[in-house]
Amino acid sequence: MFKKSISVATLPVCMMVASCHKAPSATPLAVRSPDGRTEIIAGRLKSGGLAVRIRHDGRDVIAPSEVGLMPDGEAYGPVEIGGSQQITTANGGEASHGELLVKARERIGGKRALLLRLRAYDQGAAFRLELPPEPREGNIRLAAETTALRFPRDYACLAVRHAKYLNSHEGDYAPVRTSALQGSALYDLPLSCATGRGEETIAITESGVENYPGAYLVKGQSLGVALRLTPLPAADHLAAILPRRQGLRTGWRTVLIADRPEQMIASTLVHDLAAPSRIAHAGWIKPGKASWGWWAGVKTSGVPDAGFNNPTYRHYIDFAARFGLPYFVIDWGWAARPNGDKSLADVTRFRPGVDIPALSRYAAARGVRLWLWTNWDAIGRDMDHVFALYERWGIAGIKVDYVYRQDQIAISYYHRLLAAAARHHLMVNIHGAPVPRGLERTYPNLMTEEGVMGAEYNKWSRSATAGHNVRLAYSRAIVGPMDYTPGGFRNTTPAAFKVRHTLPQVMTTRAQQLAMFVVYPSPLQSLADAPSAYVDAAGHLAPGSDFLRLVPASWDETHGVAGEWGRWIAVARRSGKRWFVGIMGDEQRRIVTIPFDFLGSGRWQMRAWVDGGKPTDTAGHWGTIREGTKLRVPLAPSGGAVMILDPA
């Protein structure tokens, strides 16, 4: 609902000039978070352009910054602000927030209208630009956004750099100062930055992108970053084409804010800004862990000629049933390729030696369901036909690969894909895709996404280091589900590590691999390794496998409890009455202190798995914990630890 219009005639000019350091206590074009600590302000720059400013505890985290559009190739000229409307949102599953709609119009020329929508949450702030629908034919041909976020100082950031728009969105979130960003590079989302005010940390990303392109960040003209929209493939001078009768809405330009960096992993801001669920009945959507054969090279012991065939797949299904996993992911290799392995897969038929309906029946008899790998090009032509076939086969979900794109056409494809999959009760995992933008809220059948340099990189590089893994927890993991595929059990030191495509090694301890199941969010967690890595032929569990059987894939509550930005992190997540703690460290040996303030009153029985004498070892510990207890935990180089806490 809307409250009465608020006059803006008294808006102080100094609100939007860089020399202003102190804001008035009440600004007509400001909206505050429920806790009063975060404020987002609208106004005009000296040039007359529309601008925003974001403050936390009374100080800028985003300095006065231009926001704007270039519809039909023409940027907005100086604007005048005509009024605003305060919006009250009924809390229907959304986080509480303040919202304000600001109305602006060009002073001269076409006098085009422009709307700026502001939101302030306890976890940060967001804004989006809107062009109201027009009662005339024709299209809006959007060339670009002119939005550029200025920082009040030289922030220390974690950033993934790309050279071109078409990419897998996989890379290392490497440390970089804002002043050292490369002018020719495209930086992926999120950009996570330490502001230099104590432990305060922010992250810039986006949410709620629909019928619009995804954005990159580029180096700004001053300290800060500018938005760069992904262009249309067939018209790279344009970012979007939209009917004038429909109008335009950008994604939410989102700034997460936390007092300490590890707290950002508990943020739900990207999720909360996205459109509510469009799936009326979602009881068929069930998170869970899965066995998976691709990472190990579809190899396993006890199966002659292991590979892309029914006996091998049945072995993985049997392992999933014994290990209590509800799913088995059949990855690349099952589908027919009439013109050879380099041709586009026919995902409605299977290769010789594979029978998917028979495997689905075999799995169902053992309480396991199948996920199938697919190629986005192969299913895009007639999704409903393909998905109806999978529904008849009894398939639980699909892993859609090789998308690589986030232009307007690709974003629309994701929405069509998820809606069609939901019509046929299929869950979805998108690979070769951009980072999450809240789409898992709109379509809860989107279980997880890649957009991460994950465990697969151990097969061909030395890139998946412990330091990289920890930095992910402060960057990619804070914006939504992440299909890293943890659980590599051939653990070795970085010095002894050897690249190999089949039965690969990992450069971390066993305990760090276990901790990923707690630290990294993903309602579908695929155990990367072969069954024999977890359970031997005699049925004996490998060290740490007992934890993997217990850890869930979805959570009721999350806390970032301790850490040092980019170096180590401790995360606690609750499932029911049970708490799980995951701790991950970089290549340095250290002893960390873990507080247990997140626990309720009473006593808690603790089981812990910590680094052992060798990378493949874990040492077990037991004890009693109370709220307020602090434990010192040793981390080996590239190490970690996990704990389970049950009410005593």
Side-chain angles (χ1 to χ4, degrees):
M1 59 181 285
F2 293 90
K3 293 188 177 180
K4 65 181 181 180
S5 179
I6 302 172
S7 170
V8 297
T10 59
L11 176 65
V13 175
C14 75
M15 280 298 297
M16 287 295 133
V17 301
S19 60
C20 245
H21 296 290
K22 186 176 181 181
S25 58
T27 305
L29 289 181
V31 60
R32 286 185 174 174
S33 59
D35 66 5
R37 298 181 62 194
T38 301
E39 184 179 34
I40 181 168
I41 307 162
R44 290 184 295 126
L45 297 168
K46 282 185 174 180
S47 63
L50 194 60
V52 299
R53 181 182 195 177
I54 300 175
R55 297 169 68 78
H56 187 233
D57 290 340
R59 290 183 286 188
D60 285 353
V61 293
I62 300 296
S65 302
E66 177 186 3
V67 298
L69 299 170
M70 288 184 64
D72 306 310
E74 185 178 350
Y76 273 73
V79 300
E80 58 184 14
I81 298 174
S84 66
Q85 292 175 311
Q86 186 177 346
I87 298 170
T88 302
T89 304
N91 193 346
E94 290 189 13
S96 180
H97 61 271
E99 183 169 345
L100 193 71
L101 180 64
V102 178
K103 303 174 181 179
R105 185 174 294 275
E106 281 183 304
R107 290 179 176 176
I108 57 176
K111 294 190 175 182
R112 295 172 294 179
L114 183 62
L115 305 178
L116 172 62
R117 194 176 296 271
L118 311 176
R119 284 191 181 182
Y121 295 76
D122 292 349
Q123 297 177 342
F127 64 91
R128 78 184 333 164
L129 292 165
E130 302 177 9
L131 297 181
E134 300 179 59
R136 60 187 176 111
E137 298 300 323
N139 292 322
I140 302 166
R141 298 169 66 84
L142 183 71
E145 283 189 48
T146 58
T147 298
L149 302 179
R150 294 178 55 248
F151 300 158
R153 62 191 67 85
D154 193 6
Y155 288 172
C157 302
L158 300 175
V160 171
R161 185 177 71 244
H162 300 298
K164 54 186 179 181
Y165 291 104
L166 186 66
N167 65 80
S168 64
H169 301 275
E170 298 165 6
D172 185 11
Y173 283 86
V176 62
R177 284 275 176 183
T178 310
S179 58
L181 294 173
Q182 296 184 7
S184 61
L186 298 168
Y187 289 94
D188 219 330
L189 302 177
L191 181 72
S192 178
C193 303
T195 67
R197 289 174 45 198
E199 299 294 324
E200 182 185 69
T201 311
I202 69 167
I204 297 171
T205 189
E206 65 179 352
S207 180
V209 182
E210 186 170 6
N211 199 22
Y212 199 77
Y216 290 96
L217 300 173
V218 297
K219 183 180 178 68
Q221 292 184 349
S222 58
L223 288 179
V225 291
L227 262 71
R228 179 73 59 81
L229 298 180
T230 306
L232 289 165
D236 61 7
H237 63 292
L238 293 176
I241 300 174
L242 304 106
R244 293 190 183 278
R245 291 185 178 276
Q246 174 184 306
L248 175 153
R249 293 194 313 176
T250 72
W252 286 103
R253 284 54 190 105
T254 305
V255 180
L256 282 61
I257 307 173
D259 293 327
R260 290 187 52 83
E262 69 272 8
Q263 294 171 352
M264 287 199 301
I265 203 163
S267 177
T268 59
L269 187 54
V270 173
H271 176 276
D272 295 333
L273 285 162
S277 174
R278 294 173 184 169
I279 298 177
H281 304 289
W284 53 274
I285 301 171
K286 298 184 184 299
K289 301 193 297 291
S291 60
W292 180 46
W294 179 87
W295 189 78
V298 201
K299 300 297 181 183
T300 192
S301 60
V303 180
D305 301 318
F308 306 117
N309 54 58
N310 272 24
T312 303
Y313 292 149
R314 284 197 297 266
H315 184 87
Y316 275 84
I317 292 168
D318 290 341
F319 163 70
R322 291 196 309 270
F323 213 66
L325 308 177
Y327 302 120
F328 168 47
V329 177
I330 301 181
D331 213 297
W332 184 97
W334 70 269
R337 292 178 184 267
N339 299 314
D341 280 349
K342 299 299 183 182
S343 65
L344 186 66
D346 181 349
V347 295
T348 65
R349 297 189 296 147
F350 24 90
R351 71 189 298 161
V354 175
D355 185 333
I356 296 298
L359 287 168
S360 182
R361 293 190 296 271
Y362 182 87
R366 289 153 180 80
V368 177
R369 298 191 68 199
L370 304 182
W371 284 65
L372 287 183
W373 175 93
T374 61
N375 181 308
W376 84 296
D377 281 337
I379 63 173
R381 303 183 188 95
D382 192 355
M383 291 182 192
D384 277 295
H385 170 72
V386 176
F387 295 167
L389 177 65
Y390 291 177
E391 188 174 24
R392 291 196 298 272
W393 287 354
I395 301 303
I398 54 173
K399 183 175 184 176
V400 183
D401 208 349
Y402 301 147
V403 187
Y404 277 31
R405 292 167 47 183
Q406 59 176 27
D407 54 79
Q408 182 191 19
I409 295 170
I411 295 294
S412 296
Y413 170 84
Y414 297 136
H415 283 263
R416 289 191 297 108
L417 167 74
L418 293 164
R423 288 194 292 272
H424 298 282
H425 302 97
L426 293 171
M427 294 174 281
V428 179
N429 173 5
I430 303 179
H431 264 230
V435 304
R437 287 161 165 86
L439 201 54
E440 71 279 2
R441 182 188 184 202
T442 310
Y443 298 98
N445 59 325
L446 176 56
M447 304 303 284
T448 192
E449 298 178 56
E450 197 178 27
V452 64
M453 189 169 76
E456 65 180 356
Y457 276 74
N458 290 287
K459 292 167 73 75
W460 56 74
S461 77
R462 299 180 60 90
S463 300
T465 65
H468 162 73
N469 295 337
V470 173
R471 290 191 292 274
L472 285 176
Y474 289 101
S475 51
R476 168 61 181 84
I478 68 178
V479 296
M482 184 174 82
D483 194 26
Y484 180 99
T485 62
F489 267 32
R490 272 171 289 278
N491 314 90
T492 189
T493 64
F497 176 81
K498 294 181 180 178
V499 172
R500 59 193 195 200
H501 195 272
T502 302
L503 301 177
Q505 298 177 319
V506 294
M507 291 184 287
T508 76
T509 67
R510 178 72 51 84
Q512 179 166 125
Q513 292 290 315
L514 301 181
M516 292 176 183
F517 286 85
V518 180
V519 175
Y520 295 162
S522 184
L524 175 71
Q525 286 279 26
S526 294
L527 277 64
D529 229 321
S532 56
Y534 305 115
V535 185
D536 66 19
H540 301 126
L541 294 176
S545 289
D546 49 350
F547 177 83
L548 290 186
R549 297 183 70 173
L550 296 171
V551 64
S554 61
W555 306 98
D556 300 314
E557 187 178 353
T558 297
H559 293 275
V561 297
E564 184 179 354
W565 194 57
R567 294 182 172 87
W568 70 275
I569 192 168
V571 177
R573 300 188 193 266
R574 180 179 60 82
S575 176
K577 295 182 178 180
R578 174 177 280 178
W579 283 95
F580 292 77
V581 178
I583 308 168
M584 296 171 59
D586 63 10
E587 291 82 1
Q588 301 301 310
R589 182 184 301 276
R590 54 170 51 89
I591 297 176
V592 301
T593 300
I594 308 301
F596 289 85
D597 298 337
F598 58 88
L599 291 175
S601 59
R603 296 184 306 132
W604 298 76
Q605 292 297 325
M606 180 199 72
R607 289 172 285 171
W609 293 253
V610 304
D611 291 321
K614 298 183 297 184
T616 52
D617 292 343
T618 61
H621 295 271
W622 295 262
T624 302
I625 296 290
R626 294 181 180 273
E627 181 183 13
T629 298
K630 292 184 178 181
L631 285 183
R632 287 165 55 83
V633 180
L635 300 180
S638 303
V642 290
M643 304 174 191
I644 297 178
L645 301 162
D646 289 296

